[in-house]
Amino acid sequence: SLLAFRASLAIAPFNELALEYYPLLLIQGYQDEEAKEFLRSLQGNVPQETEERILYNTLRSIVGSGASDLAIEWIAEQVADYPDRLFYYQLQFHMYQALGWRPEAEGVLEAWERRTGERPPDMVQGLEDMRRGAQEREQQRIDKALEGHDGGE
């Protein structure tokens, strides 16, 4: 199927169907660098809304499949190359959030705040959600540990 997508892209570069699946097929074929280059090539060649949707969906799929190192590396490169583009920070933040990496997510918010003086509401809310979730898990752990204890034992 990788060959079919390559042929499709040769005929109609940046067609939406190929854009959605081609990078994932490259990764499945252990062609990570080619996948990263393909994702980079979207900027300026497709509408920004299309680019952002494809990047979000692709990175979410990569993280979901357990290849988070590849996604982390790619988004870090994008943040470094385009430090004024909020979308890349948001994508990096949400990726860390999905992985449950609160300190890293907080670092993304802090980096954007240092750069712009702004605290994007979605990131602020995401950190609050992560904090609340950690507290709930801790309370559940405590409750479970106390189950079966009458307090007098």
Side-chain angles (χ1 to χ4, degrees):
S1 59
L2 190 55
L3 292 175
F5 275 97
R6 283 190 174 134
S8 171
L9 288 169
I11 295 167
F14 303 108
N15 73 70
E16 295 229 7
L17 180 62
L19 294 177
E20 291 286 344
Y21 296 103
Y22 185 62
L24 297 173
L25 289 172
L26 288 170
I27 292 164
Q28 284 180 337
Y30 302 102
Q31 298 177 31
D32 296 354
E33 289 304 314
E34 190 174 339
K36 288 171 23 179
E37 285 303 316
F38 179 80
L39 292 172
R40 281 188 202 96
S41 75
L42 298 176
Q43 187 172 7
N45 288 309
V46 298
Q48 186 171 334
E49 179 181 301
T50 301
E51 173 201 7
E52 291 178 359
R53 184 188 75 247
I54 290 165
L55 293 176
Y56 177 82
N57 290 338
T58 300
L59 293 182
R60 185 179 67 186
S61 294
I62 292 169
V63 170
S65 71
S68 56
D69 290 350
L70 175 64
I72 290 167
E73 178 184 318
W74 186 86
I75 195 61
E77 291 170 1
Q78 295 306 105
V79 167
D81 290 347
Y82 303 97
D84 295 324
R85 188 164 176 198
L86 175 59
F87 171 73
Y88 289 133
Y89 288 84
Q90 289 171 317
L91 193 55
Q92 187 177 44
F93 177 90
H94 291 295
M95 186 173 52
Y96 288 144
Q97 185 180 24
L99 291 166
W101 296 1
R102 187 168 180 248
E104 290 81 355
E106 192 167 8
V108 173
L109 173 60
E110 291 169 356
W112 182 256
E113 185 176 18
R114 278 192 308 275
R115 185 153 194 84
T116 66
E118 299 172 1
R119 293 176 59 84
D122 64 318
M123 290 189 209
V124 172
Q125 183 62 51
L127 281 178
E128 179 59 26
D129 293 345
M130 291 178 83
R131 184 192 61 75
R132 193 176 312 110
Q135 286 177 333
E136 289 171 4
R137 285 188 301 279
E138 180 63 15
Q139 187 60 51
Q140 289 171 353
R141 188 188 67 74
I142 291 169
D143 291 347
K144 186 174 182 176
L146 293 174
E147 279 181 13
H149 290 68
D150 295 329
E153 292 183 30

